[in-house]
Amino acid sequence: MKEEHISLLEHQDLFSGVAKEDIGHMLQCLGAYEKAYQKAEFLLLSEETVNCIGIILKGRVHMVKEDLWGNSTILTSLQPLEIFGESFACGSSKKSTVSFQAAESTDVLFLQFHKVMRTCSKVCSFHQQLIENMVSIIADKNLLLMEKIEVTSKKTIREKIFAYLVSQAQKKSSSYITIPMGRLELAEYLCVDRSALTRELNTMREQGFIDFDKNTFRILKEL
């Protein structure tokens, strides 16, 4: 594996507490492999069996949910160093209920989940730490899902927009935020029409609630 990627993984939560010099040996133990994807290419389709978890090394990945008529909704947009697939890999059926699609040119590192969660025959000194980190990551993902539900459960488009921006601002501890999604992606995430989203954003700016330039926003006052 490339040295630059090992240096990157040193800052990934899964490897928290693991010395950099142990990461390379760990990846061999976990059956790690890299794969590159082009924009719009699917990494994993709904109903596929999930045996590996993925760590994004470069690019972005959308978690997408499709209905019976083929309409898709972006549940979340995953950034470099984020993990995906772990919730399905640890489930009883191991079937994914969503699809994962590259939002741009993307490189992913895959790890065999059963090797992550089970101590290997070599009894690696770092493996218990790895298991504890994985449990924490799954718990944190559940919190993000609760955040998504809280945002999309708002009644109006304005309330959804504001709830999302406030949640991002709280994470950054700043009223200035840059979101990782364009207008179409944001509309799908909020489960609203793109044109209606654009109109409401412009209205909120005119009324002095927010200001923005492309994907950079500033919250000016409360609703």
Side-chain angles (χ1 to χ4, degrees):
M1 188 173 180
K2 297 178 182 178
E3 180 63 28
E4 63 186 272
H5 287 167
I6 291 180
S7 297
L8 190 66
L9 291 175
E10 187 181 10
H11 304 288
Q12 214 289 328
D13 289 343
L14 182 61
F15 301 98
S16 177
V18 179
K20 180 181 178 181
E21 56 268 22
D22 288 331
I23 293 178
H25 300 296
M26 178 191 299
L27 295 177
Q28 293 180 1
C29 179
L30 300 176
Y33 64 94
E34 292 182 51
K35 192 170 181 180
Y37 296 87
Q38 299 300 314
K39 181 179 180 179
E41 188 176 357
F42 282 95
L43 291 66
L44 179 71
L45 292 172
S46 179
E47 296 301 319
E48 283 190 321
T49 299
V50 183
N51 294 314
C52 294
I53 60 173
I55 301 177
I56 303 169
L57 299 174
K58 184 190 77 172
R60 291 185 301 128
V61 173
H62 287 162
M63 182 192 293
V64 180
K65 180 70 175 180
E66 295 183 339
D67 62 22
L68 291 174
W69 298 272
N71 301 310
S72 62
T73 299
I74 297 174
L75 299 181
T76 189
S77 182
L78 305 172
Q79 309 300 309
L81 286 185
E82 289 198 76
I83 289 180
F84 63 90
E86 74 289 339
S87 296
F88 305 112
C90 70
S92 57
S93 72
K94 297 188 182 299
K95 296 284 187 180
S96 177
T97 59
V98 297
S99 297
F100 293 91
Q101 185 178 30
E104 56 189 69
S105 179
T106 300
D107 293 338
V108 177
L109 176 71
F110 289 98
L111 309 174
Q112 295 184 40
F113 186 75
H114 74 280
K115 291 188 176 182
V116 172
M117 298 303 290
R118 297 175 186 170
T119 304
C120 65
S121 58
K122 298 179 183 178
V123 193
C124 304
S125 60
F126 51 71
H127 214 117
Q128 185 59 41
Q129 182 66 55
L130 196 71
I131 294 172
E132 292 177 7
N133 292 344
M134 189 75 257
V135 172
S136 294
I137 288 171
I138 292 174
D140 289 342
K141 286 289 185 74
N142 286 334
L143 293 177
L144 289 176
L145 177 59
M146 292 174 63
E147 177 185 298
K148 161 84 173 180
I149 293 173
E150 182 180 357
V151 169
T152 56
S153 65
K154 301 298 183 183
K155 294 182 179 180
T156 67
I157 296 177
R158 174 171 295 198
E159 289 174 332
K160 290 182 180 183
I161 293 170
F162 203 75
Y164 173 73
L165 293 179
V166 167
S167 70
Q168 298 302 304
Q170 289 174 335
K171 292 177 184 178
K172 302 290 185 181
S173 297
S174 173
S175 59
Y176 287 92
I177 50 174
T178 299
I179 66 173
M181 295 181 281
R183 293 295 183 268
L184 178 59
E185 297 166 335
L186 181 59
E188 291 184 2
Y189 177 84
L190 297 177
C191 302
V192 301
D193 178 75
R194 179 184 179 181
S195 298
L197 171 69
T198 301
R199 285 195 301 270
E200 190 57 49
L201 284 172
N202 290 330
T203 300
M204 291 175 71
R205 178 163 61 180
E206 291 170 1
Q207 295 177 352
F209 290 105
I210 61 173
D211 193 15
F212 59 86
D213 179 25
K214 296 181 180 179
N215 289 1
T216 300
F217 290 79
R218 182 188 178 194
I219 300 174
L220 300 177
K221 64 180 181 180
E222 297 181 17
L223 286 181

